[in-house]
Amino acid sequence: QNPSLCITGKSPGSRALQGSMDGSWSGYGSGGCGTWATAMCNRILGTASGEVTQQEWNDIASGIGQDAGGGSSMTGQGDYYAGQGKAVETKAFGGSAADYAEIQEKLDEGCDVKLAFWQRNADGTYSNGHVETVTGTNGSSSATTNSWGQSATVQGGSSGGFGHTGGAFPNSGTLWPAGSTEVEVQYICEKSVLQEIAEFFGF
């Protein structure tokens, strides 16, 4: 299993965030990207709006199982939404045109989409885990993400050609090399009637 997220970049920008952040914001300064991405997800799903407050931040951090150092996991974020009755799907993301087309389909359905990425190391370990909320796609080859409140572009995936440009990470090429980056996508959607019926009958 991939290690915890997150590394932090610059302080989150102006998107739904107000004021300075300090040690009273759980895990901020050493991580917290999972909490930030979840806060953005809540706004996409319509369960929250406006600026992210300290109380909301800390409640999310607790809800997704963020550790004291600001680390969290895609599993923790998925469990947070499954507990709210949402449909959650997390899977490997190769970076093909079909993969990006699927992201757009999910966005069109009103789902939240996140991309998480880690550097694959020669010894089989992973490092530099990070997650960002997807805000759109650019054709079938890249996506736009919320990178700590700034717009970034992600291209490629686990199959190669990964790139992260713009946003809060000027050293992204070192953090996530084009041919040595592992990527996952997570979809958070409202359950369909068929899904609810299937669950009711235990399927």
Side-chain angles (χ1 to χ4, degrees):
Q1 178 161 350
N2 290 323
S4 68
L5 308 158
C6 316
I7 55 175
T8 185
K10 300 175 183 178
S11 296
S14 60
R15 181 175 179 181
L17 190 71
Q18 178 181 346
S20 60
M21 299 176 73
D22 55 29
S24 64
W25 296 62
S26 179
Y28 180 73
S30 57
C33 64
T35 297
W36 172 249
T38 301
M40 295 300 98
C41 174
N42 287 343
R43 282 148 181 77
I44 290 169
L45 297 174
T47 59
S49 62
E51 298 152 349
V52 180
T53 65
Q54 178 193 13
Q55 185 62 55
E56 180 189 359
W57 175 281
N58 290 343
D59 288 345
I60 291 172
S62 176
I64 66 173
Q66 178 182 284
D67 63 32
S72 61
S73 68
M74 294 297 276
T75 299
Q77 292 168 52
D79 290 346
Y80 172 86
Y81 286 106
Q84 297 177 20
K86 307 295 185 186
V88 179
E89 181 182 11
T90 307
K91 61 183 181 178
F93 185 83
S96 69
D99 290 327
Y100 282 101
E102 182 178 64
I103 283 180
Q104 187 60 59
E105 289 173 7
K106 295 296 185 181
L107 292 173
D108 290 343
E109 292 171 10
C111 301
D112 169 75
V113 182
K114 299 186 191 71
L115 286 172
F117 23 95
W118 299 260
Q119 180 180 353
R120 292 193 299 262
N121 302 313
D123 62 0
T125 62
Y126 297 87
S127 57
N128 302 332
H130 183 59
V131 61
E132 295 182 350
T133 301
V134 176
T135 58
T137 60
N138 310 300
S140 59
S141 61
S142 65
T144 303
T145 64
N146 183 322
S147 178
W148 282 118
Q150 303 176 41
S151 180
T153 299
V154 170
Q155 64 187 32
S158 297
S159 298
F162 184 82
H164 181 287
T165 54
F169 297 96
N171 59 335
S172 58
T174 301
L175 294 170
W176 307 296
S180 302
T181 296
E182 193 76 14
V183 187
E184 286 185 348
V185 63
Q186 184 174 82
Y187 300 122
I188 310 294
C189 306
E190 298 293 341
K191 288 182 180 176
S192 68
V193 173
L194 289 178
Q195 285 174 313
E196 292 179 346
I197 292 173
E199 288 187 3
F200 179 81
F201 287 104
F203 295 112

mmCIF file of all heavy atoms in Angstrom, residues 55-96:
data_model
loop_
_atom_site.group_PDB
_atom_site.id
_atom_site.type_symbol
_atom_site.label_atom_id
_atom_site.label_comp_id
_atom_site.label_asym_id
_atom_site.label_seq_id
_atom_site.Cartn_x
_atom_site.Cartn_y
_atom_site.Cartn_z
ATOM 1 N N GLN A 55 -12.251 25.455 12.221
ATOM 2 C CA GLN A 55 -13.043 24.368 12.777
ATOM 3 C C GLN A 55 -13.334 23.315 11.717
ATOM 4 O O GLN A 55 -13.226 22.117 11.966
ATOM 5 C CB GLN A 55 -14.348 24.892 13.354
ATOM 6 C CG GLN A 55 -15.180 23.833 14.065
ATOM 7 C CD GLN A 55 -14.463 23.238 15.269
ATOM 8 O OE1 GLN A 55 -14.044 23.961 16.170
ATOM 9 N NE2 GLN A 55 -14.292 21.912 15.285
ATOM 10 N N GLU A 56 -13.713 23.767 10.518
ATOM 11 C CA GLU A 56 -13.972 22.805 9.441
ATOM 12 C C GLU A 56 -12.711 22.019 9.118
ATOM 13 O O GLU A 56 -12.743 20.796 8.954
ATOM 14 C CB GLU A 56 -14.471 23.527 8.189
ATOM 15 C CG GLU A 56 -14.765 22.569 7.034
ATOM 16 C CD GLU A 56 -15.046 23.256 5.718
ATOM 17 O OE1 GLU A 56 -15.037 24.511 5.665
ATOM 18 O OE2 GLU A 56 -15.268 22.532 4.724
ATOM 19 N N TRP A 57 -11.597 22.723 8.986
ATOM 20 C CA TRP A 57 -10.318 22.067 8.692
ATOM 21 C C TRP A 57 -10.014 20.978 9.716
ATOM 22 O O TRP A 57 -9.692 19.841 9.359
ATOM 23 C CB TRP A 57 -9.211 23.118 8.664
ATOM 24 C CG TRP A 57 -7.816 22.576 8.498
ATOM 25 C CD1 TRP A 57 -7.024 22.010 9.463
ATOM 26 C CD2 TRP A 57 -7.052 22.536 7.295
ATOM 27 N NE1 TRP A 57 -5.819 21.629 8.952
ATOM 28 C CE2 TRP A 57 -5.809 21.940 7.616
ATOM 29 C CE3 TRP A 57 -7.280 22.955 5.990
ATOM 30 C CZ2 TRP A 57 -4.793 21.761 6.664
ATOM 31 C CZ3 TRP A 57 -6.274 22.770 5.050
ATOM 32 C CH2 TRP A 57 -5.059 22.181 5.383
ATOM 33 N N ASN A 58 -10.109 21.328 10.979
ATOM 34 C CA ASN A 58 -9.778 20.361 12.032
ATOM 35 C C ASN A 58 -10.762 19.199 12.073
ATOM 36 O O ASN A 58 -10.368 18.058 12.344
ATOM 37 C CB ASN A 58 -9.706 21.069 13.394
ATOM 38 C CG ASN A 58 -8.498 21.983 13.506
ATOM 39 O OD1 ASN A 58 -7.547 21.882 12.735
ATOM 40 N ND2 ASN A 58 -8.527 22.892 14.468
ATOM 41 N N ASP A 59 -12.038 19.463 11.807
ATOM 42 C CA ASP A 59 -13.028 18.390 11.769
ATOM 43 C C ASP A 59 -12.731 17.422 10.625
ATOM 44 O O ASP A 59 -12.836 16.197 10.777
ATOM 45 C CB ASP A 59 -14.441 18.959 11.613
ATOM 46 C CG ASP A 59 -14.950 19.633 12.876
ATOM 47 O OD1 ASP A 59 -14.345 19.431 13.951
ATOM 48 O OD2 ASP A 59 -15.958 20.366 12.785
ATOM 49 N N ILE A 60 -12.364 17.960 9.457
ATOM 50 C CA ILE A 60 -12.023 17.102 8.324
ATOM 51 C C ILE A 60 -10.779 16.291 8.632
ATOM 52 O O ILE A 60 -10.725 15.084 8.359
ATOM 53 C CB ILE A 60 -11.817 17.942 7.051
ATOM 54 C CG1 ILE A 60 -13.142 18.533 6.578
ATOM 55 C CG2 ILE A 60 -11.187 17.092 5.944
ATOM 56 C CD1 ILE A 60 -12.989 19.535 5.450
ATOM 57 N N ALA A 61 -9.762 16.954 9.188
ATOM 58 C CA ALA A 61 -8.516 16.255 9.509
ATOM 59 C C ALA A 61 -8.785 15.048 10.396
ATOM 60 O O ALA A 61 -8.243 13.956 10.189
ATOM 61 C CB ALA A 61 -7.538 17.214 10.187
ATOM 62 N N SER A 62 -9.633 15.236 11.399
ATOM 63 C CA SER A 62 -10.002 14.130 12.280
ATOM 64 C C SER A 62 -10.789 13.072 11.527
ATOM 65 O O SER A 62 -10.554 11.868 11.677
ATOM 66 C CB SER A 62 -10.819 14.664 13.461
ATOM 67 O OG SER A 62 -11.271 13.614 14.280
ATOM 68 N N GLY A 63 -11.714 13.517 10.683
ATOM 69 C CA GLY A 63 -12.594 12.595 9.968
ATOM 70 C C GLY A 63 -11.880 11.703 8.980
ATOM 71 O O GLY A 63 -12.286 10.556 8.753
ATOM 72 N N ILE A 64 -10.796 12.196 8.367
ATOM 73 C CA ILE A 64 -10.065 11.391 7.385
ATOM 74 C C ILE A 64 -8.883 10.646 8.013
ATOM 75 O O ILE A 64 -8.158 9.942 7.315
ATOM 76 C CB ILE A 64 -9.569 12.245 6.191
ATOM 77 C CG1 ILE A 64 -8.505 13.262 6.627
ATOM 78 C CG2 ILE A 64 -10.742 12.901 5.482
ATOM 79 C CD1 ILE A 64 -7.870 14.018 5.451
ATOM 80 N N GLY A 65 -8.711 10.807 9.320
ATOM 81 C CA GLY A 65 -7.635 10.101 10.002
ATOM 82 C C GLY A 65 -6.264 10.703 9.780
ATOM 83 O O GLY A 65 -5.253 9.994 9.821
ATOM 84 N N GLN A 66 -6.204 12.012 9.575
ATOM 85 C CA GLN A 66 -4.910 12.672 9.392
ATOM 86 C C GLN A 66 -4.066 12.510 10.650
ATOM 87 O O GLN A 66 -4.562 12.649 11.764
ATOM 88 C CB GLN A 66 -5.123 14.152 9.084
ATOM 89 C CG GLN A 66 -3.833 14.945 8.921
ATOM 90 C CD GLN A 66 -4.102 16.414 8.665
ATOM 91 O OE1 GLN A 66 -4.481 16.795 7.572
ATOM 92 N NE2 GLN A 66 -3.934 17.229 9.689
ATOM 93 N N ASP A 67 -2.771 12.218 10.468
ATOM 94 C CA ASP A 67 -1.897 12.056 11.632
ATOM 95 C C ASP A 67 -1.332 13.396 12.079
ATOM 96 O O ASP A 67 -1.572 14.435 11.449
ATOM 97 C CB ASP A 67 -0.789 11.036 11.359
ATOM 98 C CG ASP A 67 0.158 11.447 10.231
ATOM 99 O OD1 ASP A 67 0.398 12.661 10.039
ATOM 100 O OD2 ASP A 67 0.680 10.539 9.544
ATOM 101 N N ALA A 68 -0.575 13.374 13.144
ATOM 102 C CA ALA A 68 -0.072 14.613 13.744
ATOM 103 C C ALA A 68 0.848 15.378 12.808
ATOM 104 O O ALA A 68 0.988 16.597 12.912
ATOM 105 C CB ALA A 68 0.655 14.302 15.051
ATOM 106 N N GLY A 69 1.491 14.670 11.886
ATOM 107 C CA GLY A 69 2.384 15.317 10.944
ATOM 108 C C GLY A 69 1.702 15.816 9.683
ATOM 109 O O GLY A 69 2.366 16.269 8.751
ATOM 110 N N GLY A 70 0.370 15.721 9.632
ATOM 111 C CA GLY A 70 -0.352 16.201 8.468
ATOM 112 C C GLY A 70 -0.559 15.154 7.391
ATOM 113 O O GLY A 70 -1.089 15.445 6.326
ATOM 114 N N GLY A 71 -0.144 13.903 7.658
ATOM 115 C CA GLY A 71 -0.299 12.844 6.677
ATOM 116 C C GLY A 71 -1.676 12.210 6.725
ATOM 117 O O GLY A 71 -2.296 12.112 7.786
ATOM 118 N N SER A 72 -2.165 11.783 5.581
ATOM 119 C CA SER A 72 -3.437 11.074 5.488
ATOM 120 C C SER A 72 -3.314 10.066 4.356
ATOM 121 O O SER A 72 -2.250 9.906 3.769
ATOM 122 C CB SER A 72 -4.595 12.045 5.258
ATOM 123 O OG SER A 72 -4.418 12.761 4.041
ATOM 124 N N SER A 73 -4.395 9.381 4.049
ATOM 125 C CA SER A 73 -4.347 8.376 2.989
ATOM 126 C C SER A 73 -5.595 8.466 2.131
ATOM 127 O O SER A 73 -6.627 9.006 2.548
ATOM 128 C CB SER A 73 -4.249 6.967 3.587
ATOM 129 O OG SER A 73 -5.457 6.621 4.252
ATOM 130 N N MET A 74 -5.516 7.922 0.927
ATOM 131 C CA MET A 74 -6.694 7.874 0.070
ATOM 132 C C MET A 74 -7.768 6.987 0.694
ATOM 133 O O MET A 74 -8.957 7.247 0.556
ATOM 134 C CB MET A 74 -6.309 7.359 -1.318
ATOM 135 C CG MET A 74 -5.390 8.301 -2.085
ATOM 136 S SD MET A 74 -6.136 9.911 -2.448
ATOM 137 C CE MET A 74 -7.039 9.519 -3.956
ATOM 138 N N THR A 75 -7.330 5.944 1.402
ATOM 139 C CA THR A 75 -8.291 5.075 2.084
ATOM 140 C C THR A 75 -9.071 5.857 3.134
ATOM 141 O O THR A 75 -10.298 5.751 3.233
ATOM 142 C CB THR A 75 -7.575 3.885 2.741
ATOM 143 O OG1 THR A 75 -6.914 3.123 1.731
ATOM 144 C CG2 THR A 75 -8.559 3.002 3.496
ATOM 145 N N GLY A 76 -8.368 6.654 3.930
ATOM 146 C CA GLY A 76 -9.025 7.457 4.951
ATOM 147 C C GLY A 76 -10.003 8.452 4.353
ATOM 148 O O GLY A 76 -11.106 8.657 4.886
ATOM 149 N N GLN A 77 -9.628 9.073 3.247
ATOM 150 C CA GLN A 77 -10.520 10.024 2.594
ATOM 151 C C GLN A 77 -11.737 9.302 2.017
ATOM 152 O O GLN A 77 -12.866 9.796 2.095
ATOM 153 C CB GLN A 77 -9.756 10.772 1.497
ATOM 154 C CG GLN A 77 -8.688 11.706 2.064
ATOM 155 C CD GLN A 77 -7.731 12.221 1.011
ATOM 156 O OE1 GLN A 77 -8.162 12.742 -0.011
ATOM 157 N NE2 GLN A 77 -6.439 12.074 1.248
ATOM 158 N N GLY A 78 -11.503 8.117 1.437
ATOM 159 C CA GLY A 78 -12.619 7.347 0.904
ATOM 160 C C GLY A 78 -13.584 6.906 1.986
ATOM 161 O O GLY A 78 -14.811 6.979 1.819
ATOM 162 N N ASP A 79 -13.042 6.456 3.120
ATOM 163 C CA ASP A 79 -13.884 6.025 4.239
ATOM 164 C C ASP A 79 -14.730 7.180 4.779
ATOM 165 O O ASP A 79 -15.879 6.985 5.193
ATOM 166 C CB ASP A 79 -13.022 5.446 5.365
ATOM 167 C CG ASP A 79 -12.408 4.106 5.002
ATOM 168 O OD1 ASP A 79 -12.835 3.494 4.005
ATOM 169 O OD2 ASP A 79 -11.479 3.673 5.725
ATOM 170 N N TYR A 80 -14.154 8.366 4.782
ATOM 171 C CA TYR A 80 -14.858 9.562 5.240
ATOM 172 C C TYR A 80 -16.142 9.758 4.438
ATOM 173 O O TYR A 80 -17.215 10.041 4.996
ATOM 174 C CB TYR A 80 -13.916 10.758 5.088
ATOM 175 C CG TYR A 80 -14.486 12.129 5.337
ATOM 176 C CD1 TYR A 80 -14.539 12.670 6.617
ATOM 177 C CD2 TYR A 80 -14.921 12.930 4.271
ATOM 178 C CE1 TYR A 80 -15.031 13.955 6.840
ATOM 179 C CE2 TYR A 80 -15.408 14.213 4.482
ATOM 180 C CZ TYR A 80 -15.461 14.717 5.762
ATOM 181 O OH TYR A 80 -15.945 15.993 5.968
ATOM 182 N N TYR A 81 -16.062 9.570 3.125
ATOM 183 C CA TYR A 81 -17.231 9.758 2.272
ATOM 184 C C TYR A 81 -18.143 8.548 2.231
ATOM 185 O O TYR A 81 -19.364 8.688 2.120
ATOM 186 C CB TYR A 81 -16.801 10.174 0.860
ATOM 187 C CG TYR A 81 -16.342 11.605 0.835
ATOM 188 C CD1 TYR A 81 -14.996 11.928 0.725
ATOM 189 C CD2 TYR A 81 -17.260 12.639 0.979
ATOM 190 C CE1 TYR A 81 -14.582 13.247 0.739
ATOM 191 C CE2 TYR A 81 -16.857 13.957 1.000
ATOM 192 C CZ TYR A 81 -15.522 14.259 0.877
ATOM 193 O OH TYR A 81 -15.119 15.577 0.916
ATOM 194 N N ALA A 82 -17.571 7.364 2.321
ATOM 195 C CA ALA A 82 -18.419 6.164 2.392
ATOM 196 C C ALA A 82 -19.319 6.240 3.616
ATOM 197 O O ALA A 82 -20.488 5.831 3.578
ATOM 198 C CB ALA A 82 -17.557 4.915 2.432
ATOM 199 N N GLY A 83 -18.780 6.797 4.712
ATOM 200 C CA GLY A 83 -19.562 6.957 5.923
ATOM 201 C C GLY A 83 -20.694 7.957 5.776
ATOM 202 O O GLY A 83 -21.636 7.968 6.579
ATOM 203 N N GLN A 84 -20.626 8.786 4.749
ATOM 204 C CA GLN A 84 -21.696 9.744 4.464
ATOM 205 C C GLN A 84 -22.654 9.212 3.393
ATOM 206 O O GLN A 84 -23.519 9.946 2.912
ATOM 207 C CB GLN A 84 -21.088 11.061 3.985
ATOM 208 C CG GLN A 84 -20.211 11.755 5.023
ATOM 209 C CD GLN A 84 -19.578 13.026 4.485
ATOM 210 O OE1 GLN A 84 -20.038 13.597 3.498
ATOM 211 N NE2 GLN A 84 -18.522 13.479 5.120
ATOM 212 N N GLY A 85 -22.479 7.945 3.015
ATOM 213 C CA GLY A 85 -23.361 7.348 2.032
ATOM 214 C C GLY A 85 -23.012 7.635 0.591
ATOM 215 O O GLY A 85 -23.822 7.398 -0.313
ATOM 216 N N LYS A 86 -21.792 8.110 0.335
ATOM 217 C CA LYS A 86 -21.370 8.388 -1.029
ATOM 218 C C LYS A 86 -20.797 7.127 -1.675
ATOM 219 O O LYS A 86 -20.329 6.203 -0.997
ATOM 220 C CB LYS A 86 -20.301 9.486 -1.057
ATOM 221 C CG LYS A 86 -20.663 10.762 -0.329
ATOM 222 C CD LYS A 86 -21.834 11.495 -0.963
ATOM 223 C CE LYS A 86 -22.077 12.840 -0.271
ATOM 224 N NZ LYS A 86 -23.293 13.503 -0.762
ATOM 225 N N ALA A 87 -20.811 7.096 -2.998
ATOM 226 C CA ALA A 87 -20.154 6.031 -3.750
ATOM 227 C C ALA A 87 -18.695 6.424 -3.940
ATOM 228 O O ALA A 87 -18.403 7.528 -4.420
ATOM 229 C CB ALA A 87 -20.827 5.836 -5.100
ATOM 230 N N VAL A 88 -17.785 5.546 -3.548
ATOM 231 C CA VAL A 88 -16.354 5.840 -3.591
ATOM 232 C C VAL A 88 -15.653 4.807 -4.463
ATOM 233 O O VAL A 88 -15.851 3.605 -4.302
ATOM 234 C CB VAL A 88 -15.740 5.811 -2.174
ATOM 235 C CG1 VAL A 88 -14.248 6.085 -2.235
ATOM 236 C CG2 VAL A 88 -16.433 6.818 -1.267
ATOM 237 N N GLU A 89 -14.834 5.287 -5.379
ATOM 238 C CA GLU A 89 -14.020 4.394 -6.208
ATOM 239 C C GLU A 89 -12.604 4.947 -6.255
ATOM 240 O O GLU A 89 -12.393 6.105 -6.622
ATOM 241 C CB GLU A 89 -14.585 4.290 -7.620
ATOM 242 C CG GLU A 89 -13.794 3.347 -8.526
ATOM 243 C CD GLU A 89 -14.333 3.272 -9.938
ATOM 244 O OE1 GLU A 89 -15.201 4.100 -10.299
ATOM 245 O OE2 GLU A 89 -13.881 2.379 -10.684
ATOM 246 N N THR A 90 -11.644 4.118 -5.889
ATOM 247 C CA THR A 90 -10.232 4.495 -5.934
ATOM 248 C C THR A 90 -9.493 3.449 -6.749
ATOM 249 O O THR A 90 -9.637 2.257 -6.495
ATOM 250 C CB THR A 90 -9.625 4.567 -4.521
ATOM 251 O OG1 THR A 90 -10.427 5.430 -3.707
ATOM 252 C CG2 THR A 90 -8.199 5.104 -4.559
ATOM 253 N N LYS A 91 -8.701 3.884 -7.717
ATOM 254 C CA LYS A 91 -8.012 2.911 -8.571
ATOM 255 C C LYS A 91 -6.759 3.528 -9.179
ATOM 256 O O LYS A 91 -6.551 4.751 -9.133
ATOM 257 C CB LYS A 91 -8.941 2.414 -9.663
ATOM 258 C CG LYS A 91 -9.448 3.482 -10.613
ATOM 259 C CD LYS A 91 -10.420 2.884 -11.622
ATOM 260 C CE LYS A 91 -10.937 3.913 -12.609
ATOM 261 N NZ LYS A 91 -11.853 3.313 -13.606
ATOM 262 N N ALA A 92 -5.934 2.650 -9.752
ATOM 263 C CA ALA A 92 -4.722 3.100 -10.427
ATOM 264 C C ALA A 92 -5.092 3.966 -11.626
ATOM 265 O O ALA A 92 -6.129 3.769 -12.271
ATOM 266 C CB ALA A 92 -3.902 1.895 -10.874
ATOM 267 N N PHE A 93 -4.230 4.929 -11.914
ATOM 268 C CA PHE A 93 -4.470 5.862 -13.014
ATOM 269 C C PHE A 93 -3.266 5.819 -13.944
ATOM 270 O O PHE A 93 -2.186 6.292 -13.609
ATOM 271 C CB PHE A 93 -4.679 7.277 -12.467
ATOM 272 C CG PHE A 93 -5.048 8.288 -13.513
ATOM 273 C CD1 PHE A 93 -6.365 8.417 -13.938
ATOM 274 C CD2 PHE A 93 -4.086 9.107 -14.079
ATOM 275 C CE1 PHE A 93 -6.714 9.351 -14.902
ATOM 276 C CE2 PHE A 93 -4.425 10.046 -15.036
ATOM 277 C CZ PHE A 93 -5.735 10.166 -15.458
ATOM 278 N N GLY A 94 -3.468 5.227 -15.132
ATOM 279 C CA GLY A 94 -2.358 5.071 -16.067
ATOM 280 C C GLY A 94 -1.987 6.338 -16.789
ATOM 281 O O GLY A 94 -0.821 6.563 -17.112
ATOM 282 N N GLY A 95 -2.976 7.186 -17.081
ATOM 283 C CA GLY A 95 -2.702 8.437 -17.769
ATOM 284 C C GLY A 95 -3.033 8.415 -19.249
ATOM 285 O O GLY A 95 -2.603 9.298 -19.999
ATOM 286 N N SER A 96 -3.822 7.427 -19.694
ATOM 287 C CA SER A 96 -4.202 7.343 -21.103
ATOM 288 C C SER A 96 -5.295 8.353 -21.424
ATOM 289 O O SER A 96 -5.900 8.954 -20.536
ATOM 290 C CB SER A 96 -4.701 5.938 -21.426
ATOM 291 O OG SER A 96 -5.946 5.697 -20.779
#
